[in-house]
Amino acid sequence: MAFQSQGTLPGVIAGLERQTVRPCSIHVLENGSPSEARINAGMVGAAAELVESEANLGFAAGNNFLARRTEAQWLFLLNPDAYPEPDLIAQLQAAITRYPGVRLFGCTQLADGAPGVLDGAGDVYHMTGLPYRSGYGAHIDPPPDGEVFGPCGAALLIRRDLFKALSGFDEDYFCYVEDVDLAYRARLLGERCIQLNKARVRHVGYASSGRRSAFASYHGVRNRLWTFLKNTPWPLLVLLTPVHAGVTVLLWLSAARFGQFTLFGRAIRDSLAAWPTLMAKRRAVQSQRRASALSIARAMTWNPLKLLTRGLDVRPLHDAMQSRATPKPPQ
């Protein structure tokens, strides 16, 4: 949590306290806020445990830190600006029973304060290497349960053994795109993600950092490049690198409209400066890969119009079952 979440956190805690099925435990991280604005035990009430960090760990390391404090079989990650519907936990429990063997779930995100507007239905990974939140800002009803590339980190459910197998979030990301990276690595292990229609939160979005802030833009650009280079299997990497490079240059030029041309360039420079570490991570990730390059390609979104419009890509479950390739042995 960051101190900017003080205005939304009480509503999130109240929403968890009103659940028709109470969560086993609630852990709230005070994530290095200034002393005059730190979250205190009174703000989280008796239902939650306040865990304090003097330093700002970021989203990735902060969630890893909290995950190590519990032995629960399932971990539900919830942003401090995502208000849960009263039956959210009940819907998650029902999904675990309904989809045996699935270890990763995403929640429907409705735009808080904007009735009828979808904030997101899972994360899309486009073939250009650009991820986006499926259906963001669309005036449509949430789609039925279906398969997505990955869940949005604002409200996701993951089984503890999978989270541990993935070593949690990549802490070098600090924040932004770390949920896409986690989902990508899960895909490489042969996992799938089910997006749940009835498990819902009302999401404020950018409550802590601000939309298109320098902080968000820098980490988004840097981490997006890391995700593409680290996780993409070799056949797809060779095929898609020219596309990703071309789109990145176009976005770099476009960043000048917002006064972020230099910032964008610095993010690319810093991303590539970590090349030795990044390649070591890539070797580790690819050595554990069980999914074929073809199955990863099928999980991506290839329609350019969907990228431009942030169009939905929630796939019918029977189609997803049929198209899912048999995982191959590690190479």
Side-chain angles (χ1 to χ4, degrees), residues 259-270:
Q260 295 185 342
F261 183 83
T262 301
L263 176 73
F264 201 108
R266 180 162 58 87
I268 295 175
R269 180 201 66 193
D270 292 349

Side-chain angles (χ1 to χ4, degrees), residues 5 40 49 58 73 79 128 138 153 166 169 193-194 199 245 282 319 327:
S5 302
N40 56 59
E49 175 190 355
Q73 185 180 15
N79 271 16
T128 56
L166 296 169
F169 292 107
C193 176
I194 303 299
R282 177 180 172 81
D319 291 348

Side-chain angles (χ1 to χ4, degrees), residues 12-67:
V12 175
I13 298 297
L16 292 172
E17 291 177 338
R18 289 194 296 266
Q19 290 295 300
T20 57
V21 175
R22 296 292 291 274
C24 296
S25 60
I26 304 171
H27 303 274
V28 178
L29 178 63
E30 165 39 66
N31 201 4
S33 299
S35 57
E36 68 275 9
R38 293 181 71 83
I39 295 168
N40 56 59
M43 292 183 65
V44 303
E49 175 190 355
L50 179 66
V51 181
E52 298 192 61
S53 171
E54 292 302 319
N56 184 353
L57 303 176
F59 182 95
N63 276 290
N64 290 350
F65 179 61
L66 288 180

Side-chain angles (χ1 to χ4, degrees), residues 8-316:
T8 58
L9 178 61
V12 175
I13 298 297
L16 292 172
E17 291 177 338
R18 289 194 296 266
Q19 290 295 300
T20 57
V21 175
R22 296 292 291 274
C24 296
S25 60
I26 304 171
H27 303 274
V28 178
L29 178 63
E30 165 39 66
N31 201 4
S33 299
S35 57
E36 68 275 9
R38 293 181 71 83
I39 295 168
N40 56 59
M43 292 183 65
V44 303
E49 175 190 355
L50 179 66
V51 181
E52 298 192 61
S53 171
E54 292 302 319
N56 184 353
L57 303 176
F59 182 95
N63 276 290
N64 290 350
F65 179 61
L66 288 180
R68 291 192 293 268
R69 297 183 63 88
T70 177
E71 294 299 324
Q73 185 180 15
W74 288 89
L75 305 173
F76 180 55
L77 281 55
L78 186 66
N79 271 16
D81 62 349
Y83 303 118
E85 294 294 296
D87 65 342
L88 175 63
I89 301 299
Q91 292 293 343
L92 294 176
Q93 285 189 338
I96 291 170
T97 302
R98 188 162 67 249
Y99 302 112
V102 177
R103 298 193 288 177
L104 186 60
F105 295 94
C107 297
T108 293
Q109 296 172 200
L110 306 174
D112 185 61
V117 178
L118 188 64
D119 182 74
D123 282 342
V124 170
Y125 195 81
H126 197 266
M127 54 79 68
T128 56
L130 303 182
Y132 69 86
R133 201 181 305 161
S134 183
Y136 177 77
H139 292 259
I140 57 175
D141 292 332
D145 288 7
E147 183 165 358
V148 293
F149 188 87
C152 176
L156 72 83
L157 179 70
I158 185 169
R159 213 166 87 168
R160 180 183 179 81
D161 57 356
L162 176 58
F163 194 77
K164 185 175 181 180
L166 296 169
S167 299
F169 292 107
D170 185 333
E171 297 187 2
D172 287 340
Y173 279 51
F174 194 77
C175 62
Y176 294 106
V177 197
E178 70 292 300
D179 52 351
V180 178
D181 170 68
L182 184 84
Y184 205 150
R185 289 185 284 118
R187 282 272 171 193
L188 292 171
L189 293 181
E191 299 289 331
R192 55 197 294 239
C193 176
I194 303 299
Q195 178 68 23
L196 302 171
N197 172 284
K198 294 183 179 179
R200 300 183 176 188
V201 300
R202 292 180 293 106
H203 188 220
V204 176
Y206 299 98
S208 296
S209 61
R211 181 173 175 81
R212 206 173 272 125
S213 67
F215 179 86
S217 296
Y218 171 84
H219 286 86
V221 172
R222 185 194 67 176
N223 298 349
R224 186 170 64 220
L225 184 54
W226 279 350
T227 299
F228 176 77
L229 293 173
K230 178 173 69 171
N231 298 320
T232 306
W234 273 117
L236 287 173
L237 188 67
V238 172
L239 175 67
L240 299 178
T241 291
V243 179
H244 184 66
V247 170
T248 299
V249 170
L250 290 176
L251 291 175
W252 190 357
L253 295 174
S254 178
R257 295 183 301 152
F258 308 105
Q260 295 185 342
F261 183 83
T262 301
L263 176 73
F264 201 108
R266 180 162 58 87
I268 295 175
R269 180 201 66 193
D270 292 349
S271 176
L272 296 178
W275 186 264
T277 299
L278 183 63
M279 289 300 101
K281 290 181 181 180
R282 177 180 172 81
R283 288 191 292 271
V285 168
Q286 298 300 323
S287 70
Q288 299 177 42
R289 178 165 66 90
R290 296 179 60 85
S292 68
L294 180 59
S295 68
I296 297 300
R298 286 173 172 167
M300 293 178 176
T301 299
W302 292 75
N303 187 333
L305 291 179
K306 286 191 174 183
L307 175 64
L308 295 174
T309 62
R310 297 198 179 192
L312 283 174
D313 195 352
V314 180
R315 303 178 185 184

